[in-house]
PDB file of all heavy atoms in Angstrom:
ATOM      1  N   VAL A   1      12.239   2.667   6.469  1.00 80.00           N
ATOM      2  CA  VAL A   1      11.368   3.337   7.410  1.00 80.00           C
ATOM      3  C   VAL A   1      11.853   2.869   8.796  1.00 80.00           C
ATOM      4  O   VAL A   1      11.306   1.910   9.392  1.00 80.00           O
ATOM      5  CB  VAL A   1       9.892   2.998   7.202  1.00 80.00           C
ATOM      6  CG1 VAL A   1       8.999   3.846   8.087  1.00 80.00           C
ATOM      7  CG2 VAL A   1       9.469   3.182   5.714  1.00 80.00           C
ATOM      8  N   PRO A   2      12.950   3.468   9.296  1.00 72.00           N
ATOM      9  CA  PRO A   2      13.599   2.931  10.494  1.00 72.00           C
ATOM     10  C   PRO A   2      12.736   2.841  11.731  1.00 72.00           C
ATOM     11  O   PRO A   2      12.884   1.872  12.491  1.00 72.00           O
ATOM     12  CB  PRO A   2      14.782   3.913  10.676  1.00 72.00           C
ATOM     13  CG  PRO A   2      14.423   5.165   9.983  1.00 72.00           C
ATOM     14  CD  PRO A   2      13.566   4.707   8.812  1.00 72.00           C
ATOM     15  N   ASN A   3      11.848   3.820  11.930  1.00 73.00           N
ATOM     16  CA  ASN A   3      11.036   3.804  13.139  1.00 73.00           C
ATOM     17  C   ASN A   3       9.895   2.777  13.086  1.00 73.00           C
ATOM     18  O   ASN A   3       9.209   2.607  14.093  1.00 73.00           O
ATOM     19  CB  ASN A   3      10.518   5.221  13.433  1.00 73.00           C
ATOM     20  CG  ASN A   3      11.630   6.120  13.896  1.00 73.00           C
ATOM     21  OD1 ASN A   3      12.403   5.822  14.830  1.00 73.00           O
ATOM     22  ND2 ASN A   3      11.746   7.293  13.254  1.00 73.00           N
ATOM     23  N   LEU A   4       9.640   2.213  11.901  1.00 80.00           N
ATOM     24  CA  LEU A   4       8.613   1.177  11.781  1.00 80.00           C
ATOM     25  C   LEU A   4       9.225  -0.184  11.367  1.00 80.00           C
ATOM     26  O   LEU A   4       8.528  -1.205  11.335  1.00 80.00           O
ATOM     27  CB  LEU A   4       7.584   1.576  10.707  1.00 80.00           C
ATOM     28  CG  LEU A   4       6.727   2.806  11.047  1.00 80.00           C
ATOM     29  CD1 LEU A   4       5.775   3.082   9.889  1.00 80.00           C
ATOM     30  CD2 LEU A   4       6.023   2.670  12.337  1.00 80.00           C
ATOM     31  N   GLY A   5      10.502  -0.196  11.051  1.00 79.00           N
ATOM     32  CA  GLY A   5      11.196  -1.454  10.740  1.00 79.00           C
ATOM     33  C   GLY A   5      10.912  -1.968   9.372  1.00 79.00           C
ATOM     34  O   GLY A   5      11.091  -3.170   9.092  1.00 79.00           O
ATOM     35  N   TRP A   6      10.469  -1.094   8.438  1.00 84.00           N
ATOM     36  CA  TRP A   6      10.184  -1.532   7.060  1.00 84.00           C
ATOM     37  C   TRP A   6      11.389  -1.268   6.200  1.00 84.00           C
ATOM     38  O   TRP A   6      12.083  -0.203   6.329  1.00 84.00           O
ATOM     39  CB  TRP A   6       9.019  -0.790   6.451  1.00 84.00           C
ATOM     40  CG  TRP A   6       7.737  -0.968   7.213  1.00 84.00           C
ATOM     41  CD1 TRP A   6       7.463  -1.911   8.175  1.00 84.00           C
ATOM     42  CD2 TRP A   6       6.561  -0.148   7.070  1.00 84.00           C
ATOM     43  NE1 TRP A   6       6.175  -1.766   8.627  1.00 84.00           N
ATOM     44  CE2 TRP A   6       5.550  -0.700   8.023  1.00 84.00           C
ATOM     45  CE3 TRP A   6       6.183   0.904   6.300  1.00 84.00           C
ATOM     46  CZ2 TRP A   6       4.298  -0.160   8.157  1.00 84.00           C
ATOM     47  CZ3 TRP A   6       4.943   1.450   6.418  1.00 84.00           C
ATOM     48  CH2 TRP A   6       4.020   0.921   7.310  1.00 84.00           C
ATOM     49  N   HIS A   7      11.686  -2.141   5.304  1.00 84.00           N
ATOM     50  CA  HIS A   7      12.889  -2.007   4.397  1.00 84.00           C
ATOM     51  C   HIS A   7      12.520  -2.504   2.984  1.00 84.00           C
ATOM     52  O   HIS A   7      12.156  -3.648   2.835  1.00 84.00           O
ATOM     53  CB  HIS A   7      14.094  -2.799   4.934  1.00 84.00           C
ATOM     54  CG  HIS A   7      14.479  -2.367   6.286  1.00 84.00           C
ATOM     55  ND1 HIS A   7      15.342  -1.310   6.519  1.00 84.00           N
ATOM     56  CD2 HIS A   7      14.186  -2.856   7.520  1.00 84.00           C
ATOM     57  CE1 HIS A   7      15.532  -1.162   7.853  1.00 84.00           C
ATOM     58  NE2 HIS A   7      14.870  -2.123   8.454  1.00 84.00           N
ATOM     59  N   HIS A   8      12.639  -1.617   2.003  1.00 86.00           N
ATOM     60  CA  HIS A   8      12.561  -1.945   0.585  1.00 86.00           C
ATOM     61  C   HIS A   8      11.322  -2.810   0.259  1.00 86.00           C
ATOM     62  O   HIS A   8      11.375  -3.919  -0.221  1.00 86.00           O
ATOM     63  CB  HIS A   8      13.788  -2.724   0.158  1.00 86.00           C
ATOM     64  CG  HIS A   8      15.081  -2.005   0.457  1.00 86.00           C
ATOM     65  ND1 HIS A   8      15.454  -0.824  -0.141  1.00 86.00           N
ATOM     66  CD2 HIS A   8      16.039  -2.247   1.393  1.00 86.00           C
ATOM     67  CE1 HIS A   8      16.590  -0.354   0.393  1.00 86.00           C
ATOM     68  NE2 HIS A   8      16.953  -1.228   1.297  1.00 86.00           N
ATOM     69  N   GLN A   9      10.147  -2.208   0.553  1.00 87.00           N
ATOM     70  CA  GLN A   9       8.910  -2.909   0.321  1.00 87.00           C
ATOM     71  C   GLN A   9       8.020  -2.081  -0.580  1.00 87.00           C
ATOM     72  O   GLN A   9       7.976  -0.863  -0.545  1.00 87.00           O
ATOM     73  CB  GLN A   9       8.196  -3.156   1.660  1.00 87.00           C
ATOM     74  CG  GLN A   9       8.840  -4.188   2.549  1.00 87.00           C
ATOM     75  CD  GLN A   9       8.154  -4.321   3.861  1.00 87.00           C
ATOM     76  OE1 GLN A   9       8.386  -3.535   4.766  1.00 87.00           O
ATOM     77  NE2 GLN A   9       7.252  -5.325   3.984  1.00 87.00           N
ATOM     78  N   ASP A  10       7.297  -2.775  -1.478  1.00 89.00           N
ATOM     79  CA  ASP A  10       6.310  -2.123  -2.322  1.00 89.00           C
ATOM     80  C   ASP A  10       5.157  -1.673  -1.401  1.00 89.00           C
ATOM     81  O   ASP A  10       4.746  -2.379  -0.556  1.00 89.00           O
ATOM     82  CB  ASP A  10       5.804  -3.104  -3.375  1.00 89.00           C
ATOM     83  CG  ASP A  10       4.766  -2.470  -4.339  1.00 89.00           C
ATOM     84  OD1 ASP A  10       4.801  -1.245  -4.452  1.00 89.00           O
ATOM     85  OD2 ASP A  10       4.019  -3.215  -4.978  1.00 89.00           O
ATOM     86  N   ILE A  11       4.662  -0.460  -1.691  1.00 88.00           N
ATOM     87  CA  ILE A  11       3.520  -0.007  -0.849  1.00 88.00           C
ATOM     88  C   ILE A  11       2.357   0.408  -1.712  1.00 88.00           C
ATOM     89  O   ILE A  11       1.210   0.246  -1.314  1.00 88.00           O
ATOM     90  CB  ILE A  11       4.019   1.177   0.042  1.00 88.00           C
ATOM     91  CG1 ILE A  11       2.904   1.584   1.015  1.00 88.00           C
ATOM     92  CG2 ILE A  11       4.453   2.368  -0.769  1.00 88.00           C
ATOM     93  CD1 ILE A  11       3.366   2.556   2.092  1.00 88.00           C
ATOM     94  N   GLU A  12       2.611   0.897  -2.943  1.00 89.00           N
ATOM     95  CA  GLU A  12       1.486   1.378  -3.729  1.00 89.00           C
ATOM     96  C   GLU A  12       0.479   0.295  -4.103  1.00 89.00           C
ATOM     97  O   GLU A  12      -0.696   0.403  -3.867  1.00 89.00           O
ATOM     98  CB  GLU A  12       2.001   2.074  -5.029  1.00 89.00           C
ATOM     99  CG  GLU A  12       0.860   2.637  -5.866  1.00 89.00           C
ATOM    100  CD  GLU A  12       1.313   2.883  -7.340  1.00 89.00           C
ATOM    101  OE1 GLU A  12       2.294   2.287  -7.773  1.00 89.00           O
ATOM    102  OE2 GLU A  12       0.572   3.661  -7.970  1.00 89.00           O
ATOM    103  N   GLN A  13       1.026  -0.815  -4.665  1.00 90.00           N
ATOM    104  CA  GLN A  13       0.133  -1.865  -5.115  1.00 90.00           C
ATOM    105  C   GLN A  13      -0.651  -2.539  -3.987  1.00 90.00           C
ATOM    106  O   GLN A  13      -1.855  -2.705  -4.019  1.00 90.00           O
ATOM    107  CB  GLN A  13       0.893  -2.920  -5.934  1.00 90.00           C
ATOM    108  CG  GLN A  13       0.016  -3.940  -6.616  1.00 90.00           C
ATOM    109  CD  GLN A  13      -0.989  -3.307  -7.574  1.00 90.00           C
ATOM    110  OE1 GLN A  13      -0.695  -2.328  -8.249  1.00 90.00           O
ATOM    111  NE2 GLN A  13      -2.204  -3.902  -7.654  1.00 90.00           N
ATOM    112  N   PRO A  14       0.036  -2.886  -2.839  1.00 91.00           N
ATOM    113  CA  PRO A  14      -0.660  -3.431  -1.743  1.00 91.00           C
ATOM    114  C   PRO A  14      -1.739  -2.520  -1.130  1.00 91.00           C
ATOM    115  O   PRO A  14      -2.818  -2.944  -0.744  1.00 91.00           O
ATOM    116  CB  PRO A  14       0.416  -3.721  -0.685  1.00 91.00           C
ATOM    117  CG  PRO A  14       1.650  -3.881  -1.490  1.00 91.00           C
ATOM    118  CD  PRO A  14       1.513  -2.925  -2.618  1.00 91.00           C
ATOM    119  N   LEU A  15      -1.439  -1.234  -1.157  1.00 92.00           N
ATOM    120  CA  LEU A  15      -2.470  -0.258  -0.658  1.00 92.00           C
ATOM    121  C   LEU A  15      -3.646  -0.152  -1.618  1.00 92.00           C
ATOM    122  O   LEU A  15      -4.810  -0.172  -1.162  1.00 92.00           O
ATOM    123  CB  LEU A  15      -1.848   1.109  -0.477  1.00 92.00           C
ATOM    124  CG  LEU A  15      -2.789   2.202   0.053  1.00 92.00           C
ATOM    125  CD1 LEU A  15      -3.469   1.784   1.361  1.00 92.00           C
ATOM    126  CD2 LEU A  15      -2.076   3.517   0.221  1.00 92.00           C
ATOM    127  N   CYS A  16      -3.357  -0.183  -2.903  1.00 93.00           N
ATOM    128  CA  CYS A  16      -4.527  -0.196  -3.865  1.00 93.00           C
ATOM    129  C   CYS A  16      -5.397  -1.436  -3.684  1.00 93.00           C
ATOM    130  O   CYS A  16      -6.606  -1.370  -3.721  1.00 93.00           O
ATOM    131  CB  CYS A  16      -3.981  -0.132  -5.305  1.00 93.00           C
ATOM    132  SG  CYS A  16      -3.314   1.485  -5.788  1.00 93.00           S
ATOM    133  N   GLU A  17      -4.744  -2.550  -3.436  1.00 93.00           N
ATOM    134  CA  GLU A  17      -5.496  -3.797  -3.259  1.00 93.00           C
ATOM    135  C   GLU A  17      -6.307  -3.780  -1.950  1.00 93.00           C
ATOM    136  O   GLU A  17      -7.458  -4.209  -1.928  1.00 93.00           O
ATOM    137  CB  GLU A  17      -4.540  -5.010  -3.234  1.00 93.00           C
ATOM    138  CG  GLU A  17      -3.923  -5.264  -4.614  1.00 93.00           C
ATOM    139  CD  GLU A  17      -2.781  -6.298  -4.563  1.00 93.00           C
ATOM    140  OE1 GLU A  17      -2.494  -6.800  -3.448  1.00 93.00           O
ATOM    141  OE2 GLU A  17      -2.229  -6.618  -5.616  1.00 93.00           O
ATOM    142  N   ALA A  18      -5.723  -3.211  -0.901  1.00 94.00           N
ATOM    143  CA  ALA A  18      -6.402  -3.073   0.387  1.00 94.00           C
ATOM    144  C   ALA A  18      -7.605  -2.150   0.237  1.00 94.00           C
ATOM    145  O   ALA A  18      -8.709  -2.389   0.802  1.00 94.00           O
ATOM    146  CB  ALA A  18      -5.481  -2.565   1.467  1.00 94.00           C
ATOM    147  N   LEU A  19      -7.468  -1.068  -0.560  1.00 95.00           N
ATOM    148  CA  LEU A  19      -8.570  -0.141  -0.781  1.00 95.00           C
ATOM    149  C   LEU A  19      -9.681  -0.810  -1.575  1.00 95.00           C
ATOM    150  O   LEU A  19     -10.873  -0.569  -1.253  1.00 95.00           O
ATOM    151  CB  LEU A  19      -8.056   1.091  -1.521  1.00 95.00           C
ATOM    152  CG  LEU A  19      -7.213   2.054  -0.654  1.00 95.00           C
ATOM    153  CD1 LEU A  19      -6.555   3.113  -1.578  1.00 95.00           C
ATOM    154  CD2 LEU A  19      -8.028   2.724   0.410  1.00 95.00           C
ATOM    155  N   LYS A  20      -9.345  -1.598  -2.570  1.00 94.00           N
ATOM    156  CA  LYS A  20     -10.360  -2.288  -3.358  1.00 94.00           C
ATOM    157  C   LYS A  20     -11.163  -3.259  -2.454  1.00 94.00           C
ATOM    158  O   LYS A  20     -12.361  -3.383  -2.678  1.00 94.00           O
ATOM    159  CB  LYS A  20      -9.690  -3.061  -4.481  1.00 94.00           C
ATOM    160  CG  LYS A  20      -9.190  -2.181  -5.626  1.00 94.00           C
ATOM    161  CD  LYS A  20      -8.526  -2.996  -6.701  1.00 94.00           C
ATOM    162  CE  LYS A  20      -7.973  -2.119  -7.806  1.00 94.00           C
ATOM    163  NZ  LYS A  20      -7.287  -2.910  -8.876  1.00 94.00           N
ATOM    164  N   ARG A  21     -10.490  -3.855  -1.551  1.00 94.00           N
ATOM    165  CA  ARG A  21     -11.216  -4.808  -0.635  1.00 94.00           C
ATOM    166  C   ARG A  21     -12.270  -4.131   0.204  1.00 94.00           C
ATOM    167  O   ARG A  21     -13.262  -4.781   0.642  1.00 94.00           O
ATOM    168  CB  ARG A  21     -10.211  -5.583   0.259  1.00 94.00           C
ATOM    169  CG  ARG A  21      -9.364  -6.574  -0.457  1.00 94.00           C
ATOM    170  CD  ARG A  21      -8.649  -7.521   0.472  1.00 94.00           C
ATOM    171  NE  ARG A  21      -7.684  -6.849   1.336  1.00 94.00           N
ATOM    172  CZ  ARG A  21      -6.373  -6.685   1.027  1.00 94.00           C
ATOM    173  NH1 ARG A  21      -5.934  -7.198  -0.168  1.00 94.00           N
ATOM    174  NH2 ARG A  21      -5.577  -6.095   1.799  1.00 94.00           N
ATOM    175  N   VAL A  22     -12.078  -2.856   0.436  1.00 94.00           N
ATOM    176  CA  VAL A  22     -13.082  -2.084   1.285  1.00 94.00           C
ATOM    177  C   VAL A  22     -13.912  -1.208   0.426  1.00 94.00           C
ATOM    178  O   VAL A  22     -14.578  -0.272   0.905  1.00 94.00           O
ATOM    179  CB  VAL A  22     -12.414  -1.309   2.420  1.00 94.00           C
ATOM    180  CG1 VAL A  22     -11.830  -2.241   3.439  1.00 94.00           C
ATOM    181  CG2 VAL A  22     -11.328  -0.356   1.886  1.00 94.00           C
ATOM    182  N   GLY A  23     -13.869  -1.414  -0.934  1.00 92.00           N
ATOM    183  CA  GLY A  23     -14.781  -0.676  -1.797  1.00 92.00           C
ATOM    184  C   GLY A  23     -14.303   0.634  -2.382  1.00 92.00           C
ATOM    185  O   GLY A  23     -15.133   1.362  -2.955  1.00 92.00           O
ATOM    186  N   VAL A  24     -13.041   0.974  -2.219  1.00 92.00           N
ATOM    187  CA  VAL A  24     -12.514   2.201  -2.781  1.00 92.00           C
ATOM    188  C   VAL A  24     -11.739   1.849  -4.024  1.00 92.00           C
ATOM    189  O   VAL A  24     -10.751   1.145  -3.984  1.00 92.00           O
ATOM    190  CB  VAL A  24     -11.556   2.925  -1.807  1.00 92.00           C
ATOM    191  CG1 VAL A  24     -11.045   4.190  -2.363  1.00 92.00           C
ATOM    192  CG2 VAL A  24     -12.319   3.218  -0.486  1.00 92.00           C
ATOM    193  N   ARG A  25     -12.166   2.423  -5.157  1.00 80.00           N
ATOM    194  CA  ARG A  25     -11.600   2.020  -6.448  1.00 80.00           C
ATOM    195  C   ARG A  25     -10.602   3.019  -6.945  1.00 80.00           C
ATOM    196  O   ARG A  25     -10.118   2.890  -8.087  1.00 80.00           O
ATOM    197  CB  ARG A  25     -12.757   1.876  -7.505  1.00 80.00           C
ATOM    198  CG  ARG A  25     -13.789   0.827  -7.117  1.00 80.00           C
ATOM    199  CD  ARG A  25     -13.124  -0.581  -7.208  1.00 80.00           C
ATOM    200  NE  ARG A  25     -13.990  -1.607  -6.692  1.00 80.00           N
ATOM    201  CZ  ARG A  25     -13.743  -2.881  -6.690  1.00 80.00           C
ATOM    202  NH1 ARG A  25     -12.562  -3.315  -7.108  1.00 80.00           N
ATOM    203  NH2 ARG A  25     -14.605  -3.791  -6.218  1.00 80.00           N
ATOM    204  N   GLN A  26     -10.256   4.028  -6.204  1.00 73.00           N
ATOM    205  CA  GLN A  26      -9.293   5.062  -6.632  1.00 73.00           C
ATOM    206  C   GLN A  26      -7.941   4.457  -6.873  1.00 73.00           C
ATOM    207  O   GLN A  26      -7.358   3.809  -5.986  1.00 73.00           O
ATOM    208  CB  GLN A  26      -9.191   6.152  -5.602  1.00 73.00           C
ATOM    209  CG  GLN A  26      -8.394   7.375  -6.035  1.00 73.00           C
ATOM    210  CD  GLN A  26      -9.182   8.203  -7.035  1.00 73.00           C
ATOM    211  OE1 GLN A  26     -10.333   8.457  -6.854  1.00 73.00           O
ATOM    212  NE2 GLN A  26      -8.494   8.678  -8.036  1.00 73.00           N
ATOM    213  N   SER A  27      -7.382   4.685  -8.093  1.00 69.00           N
ATOM    214  CA  SER A  27      -6.108   4.130  -8.388  1.00 69.00           C
ATOM    215  C   SER A  27      -5.447   4.932  -9.562  1.00 69.00           C
ATOM    216  O   SER A  27      -6.207   5.365 -10.437  1.00 69.00           O
ATOM    217  CB  SER A  27      -6.200   2.651  -8.832  1.00 69.00           C
ATOM    218  OG  SER A  27      -4.942   2.072  -9.053  1.00 69.00           O
ATOM    219  N   PRO A  28      -4.153   5.170  -9.569  1.00 77.00           N
ATOM    220  CA  PRO A  28      -3.169   4.755  -8.576  1.00 77.00           C
ATOM    221  C   PRO A  28      -3.228   5.689  -7.355  1.00 77.00           C
ATOM    222  O   PRO A  28      -3.867   6.735  -7.358  1.00 77.00           O
ATOM    223  CB  PRO A  28      -1.854   4.930  -9.323  1.00 77.00           C
ATOM    224  CG  PRO A  28      -2.123   6.073 -10.267  1.00 77.00           C
ATOM    225  CD  PRO A  28      -3.532   5.934 -10.694  1.00 77.00           C
ATOM    226  N   VAL A  29      -2.554   5.241  -6.306  1.00 89.00           N
ATOM    227  CA  VAL A  29      -2.437   6.004  -5.093  1.00 89.00           C
ATOM    228  C   VAL A  29      -1.007   6.528  -5.016  1.00 89.00           C
ATOM    229  O   VAL A  29      -0.070   5.758  -5.163  1.00 89.00           O
ATOM    230  CB  VAL A  29      -2.736   5.167  -3.864  1.00 89.00           C
ATOM    231  CG1 VAL A  29      -2.489   5.962  -2.560  1.00 89.00           C
ATOM    232  CG2 VAL A  29      -4.209   4.663  -3.911  1.00 89.00           C
TER     233      VAL A  29
END
């Protein structure tokens, strides 16, 4: 993601965990 400086990072699992912390249980994303 050149314009954000991200390289080869997992995104699905961290986003699911972030959603759970705010009460959203939808998974997978």
